[in-house]
Amino acid sequence: MKAPLPIAVFASGRGSNLQSILDATDDPAFPATVELVISDQADARALERARLSGVNAIHIAPGEKRARLSEEADTRLLHILAEKKVRLVALAGFMRILSGRFLREFFGQVINIHPSLLPSFPGLDAQDQAVRHGVRWSGCTVHFVDEGVDTGPIILQAAVPVKSDDTAVTLAARILPEEHRIYPEAIRLISTGEVTLVNGRLSWRQERGESL
Ligand code: GRF
């Protein structure tokens, strides 16, 4: 059997998506393993979840910038990932924008989960945006990360209905279980090479299933 793909998960908060990935990797047949969990928040629940699973949990002090990591933090991050030979970075509720330098070093190796059907409602408060626009369907998207905000090539999506009395909170609660389902699945697809990025577009080894 091929060695599992070493991945890192970056998370700033609750870490429920991280948990779904950790749960998936509990299966020895899963083709990826979580080498480290990184957070810009020292008290993130995600770090606690990592420790409980016996995974390296590292807090990176983000520096003074609001939305980005400082250059020092960026350098430290790249150093740690190189040391652990990480081959895929999964952003799971990570509230910092990665630098161009980081994305060039990890070109095609960073993915994200977003709680809307991209390209609708990128950025913050996606569920609130969906409710305010009155869309009938929303959902979640796993995509490769490029230098834009929530703009990279899409790997998997799942749709859920939006009800007329939904609030951002009730909609988020309907979307979240779908996130927990498709994020580990996307990681599996990348780790087995079923999905690759070719010239900035997704390439499927076999005809892709349309059921997700
Ligand atoms: C999720 O809704 C994810 O789509 C978004 O941030 C939230 C993180 O939740 N990017 P959790 O920390 O994984 O529970």
Side-chain angles (χ1 to χ4, degrees):
M1 210 169 74
K2 241 177 89 184
L5 192 79
I7 73 172
V9 181
F10 291 10
S12 297
R14 167 179 72 174
S16 71
N17 277 288
L18 163 68
Q19 191 65 56
S20 72
I21 298 167
L22 289 170
D23 292 348
T25 58
D26 269 352
D27 177 353
F30 194 79
T33 157
V34 181
E35 284 296 324
L36 12 121
V37 172
I38 306 259
S39 185
D40 56 325
Q41 303 296 324
D43 58 355
R45 176 87 213 284
L47 289 177
E48 199 184 316
R49 291 183 193 263
R51 287 186 202 108
L52 284 171
S53 291
V55 170
N56 254 315
I58 299 172
H59 168 236
I60 298 262
E64 297 301 310
K65 298 184 193 163
R66 209 165 54 91
R68 293 176 178 270
L69 295 174
S70 67
E71 257 188 53
E72 293 90 310
D74 217 40
T75 304
R76 185 163 167 235
L77 203 53
L78 284 167
H79 180 77
I80 294 170
L81 296 180
E83 204 174 59
K84 292 282 177 191
K85 300 189 169 47
V86 165
R87 302 265 313 284
L88 179 72
V89 171
L91 308 181
F94 188 62
M95 300 306 285
R96 305 268 168 179
I97 298 168
L98 295 171
S99 68
R101 174 172 71 142
F102 187 97
L103 291 173
R104 279 188 295 279
E105 291 239 357
F106 271 83
F107 182 74
Q109 295 174 289
V110 184
I111 59 175
N112 181 42
I113 183 137
H114 183 75
S116 76
L117 293 175
L118 290 172
S120 289
F121 315 134
L124 295 176
D125 303 324
Q127 301 93 336
D128 187 51
Q129 294 185 53
V131 168
R132 279 190 292 107
H133 277 80
V135 291
R136 301 297 170 91
W137 293 89
S138 191
C140 50
T141 304
V142 182
H143 63 97
F144 280 105
V145 174
D146 61 14
E147 290 201 30
V149 174
D150 303 322
T151 49
I154 289 169
I155 305 163
L156 287 179
Q157 295 188 299
V160 304
V162 182
K163 304 200 173 149
S164 53
D165 60 350
D166 263 336
T167 62
V169 172
T170 57
L171 179 58
R174 193 170 311 116
I175 294 173
L176 198 60
E178 295 300 312
E179 298 189 29
H180 298 162
R181 185 171 68 80
I182 68 169
Y183 212 3
E185 175 59 8
I187 292 170
R188 189 189 68 73
L189 290 169
I190 295 167
S191 305
T192 53
E194 275 164 71
V195 156
T196 44
L197 203 53
V198 179
N199 298 329
R201 286 194 62 176
L202 230 63
S203 167
W204 292 76
R205 192 159 60 191
Q206 290 176 355
E207 194 59 28
R208 72 177 174 188
E210 298 297 346
S211 59
L212 285 168

